[in-house]
Amino acid sequence: MKKNKLIKIYNKLLDHFGRQYWWPADTPFEVMVGAILTQQTSWTNVEKAIAELKKERLLSPRKILRTPASKLHKIIRSSGYYKQKEKKLKIFCRFLINIDRASITRTQLLSLWGIGRETADSILLYALGKPIFVVDAYTIRIGERVGLFKAEGYEHVREYFESNLPRRLTLYKEYHALLVELGKNYCKPKPLCDSCPINRLCQFCEVR
DNA sequence: ACCCAGGTGGCCC
DNA sequence: GGGCCACATGGG
């Protein structure tokens, strides 16, 4: 595959931020829990909730299922939307204990209440090792500003990345992680272009 | 006091 | 298919 714009951006990000070694977790199940808890929530808030789950020795599907809702609410409170997320965790754990993890499909995950596209794909890529490119709000925002696509939906963006990148797990994992890093630090709703590592590719930066 | 965060489901048209 | 809303905590 010849060197395309996607690879150029990747190399810039890698030079600037270095390897990310995503997803940060001790076990695949911790990845899955984190993927649910981080929905529309900053990771620092999720870390606190996961630390609480570990402290209570609850980081297993059966133990979460045995924990009363009110207790789980307190434990994961810092991750926000804690009533919804308690339900989402229980529904997901119930699904998980009755299945061979290697056989889990995207369609199965998407059929669960509380598991949308980004959460399903994060679980597939980072917990189950399937080559699915994870798209999030940053990916779409950055892609639009850089001029890769315009107002595309989730599936189109995912296909765009998957069809223009070699199908490699570590590349998918690190690319998504680097886009999050760029998004958190620079590519916010109000762009901070001054020291953005991909300036000259982003139309906002070129305007300045 | 705002604005933002590694979304999702339910509703409406 | 897209647009709007509720959901909730914590940090800048």
Side-chain angles (χ1 to χ4, degrees):
Chain A
M1 184 173 296
K2 86 177 193 331
K3 219 173 179 186
N4 57 31
K5 198 167 181 180
L6 247 29
I7 301 288
K8 286 182 191 166
I9 293 170
Y10 179 76
N11 286 328
K12 276 197 175 200
L13 294 173
L14 188 57
D15 283 347
H16 189 268
F17 292 114
R19 280 285 295 274
Q20 301 299 303
Y21 301 98
W22 264 29
W23 185 293
D26 295 333
T27 65
F29 182 66
E30 187 182 330
V31 173
M32 301 175 191
V33 170
I36 291 170
L37 294 184
T38 199
Q39 290 170 1
Q40 187 59 27
T41 301
S42 57
W43 183 250
T44 53
N45 284 4
V46 176
E47 282 183 313
K48 292 169 191 164
I50 290 179
E52 284 299 304
L53 285 167
K54 284 182 175 173
K55 197 169 78 180
E56 303 282 335
R57 305 264 191 267
L58 253 32
L59 217 45
S60 99
R62 291 173 198 281
K63 287 176 184 168
I64 285 176
L65 284 171
R66 275 195 260 110
T67 306
S70 58
K71 182 174 181 185
L72 213 42
H73 287 166
K74 289 174 188 160
I75 291 168
I76 67 170
R77 186 177 131 284
S78 70
S79 68
Y81 306 135
Y82 58 86
K83 291 179 188 170
Q84 288 193 347
K85 284 173 180 174
E86 178 263 334
K87 284 183 198 154
K88 292 178 182 182
L89 285 177
K90 290 251 174 77
I91 289 168
F92 178 72
C93 287
R94 204 173 306 284
F95 161 79
L96 201 57
I97 59 175
N98 292 319
I99 196 167
D100 168 23
R101 291 188 186 184
S103 75
I104 293 175
T105 66
R106 190 169 195 261
T107 306
Q108 282 177 316
L109 291 173
L110 290 176
S111 74
L112 301 173
W113 186 88
I115 307 292
R117 289 185 267 230
E118 184 183 338
T119 309
D121 292 344
S122 297
I123 289 170
L124 289 166
L125 177 63
Y126 292 107
L128 302 175
K130 312 269 189 184
I132 309 282
F133 196 91
V134 178
V135 175
D136 64 359
Y138 292 134
T139 314
I140 293 174
R141 187 191 302 161
I142 293 165
E144 285 176 357
R145 287 188 187 171
V146 170
L148 294 174
F149 40 76
K150 200 169 176 69
E152 293 284 359
Y154 187 103
E155 298 298 344
H156 282 106
V157 174
R158 185 168 66 81
E159 283 162 20
Y160 176 81
F161 277 87
E162 289 182 1
S163 60
N164 285 288
L165 246 26
R167 197 174 221 72
R168 300 215 4 266
L169 275 182
T170 47
L171 175 62
Y172 282 12
K173 290 180 180 178
E174 289 299 297
Y175 208 144
H176 172 67
L178 287 166
L179 288 174
V180 171
E181 203 55 30
L182 177 66
K184 284 203 294 203
N185 293 295
Y186 302 101
C187 218
K188 303 196 159 207
K190 296 180 187 294
L192 309 171
C193 298
D194 296 341
S195 52
C196 173
I198 63 162
N199 61 24
R200 294 171 185 271
L201 285 175
C202 170
Q203 62 189 62
F204 278 89
C205 301
E206 287 170 350
V207 165
R208 293 199 161 193

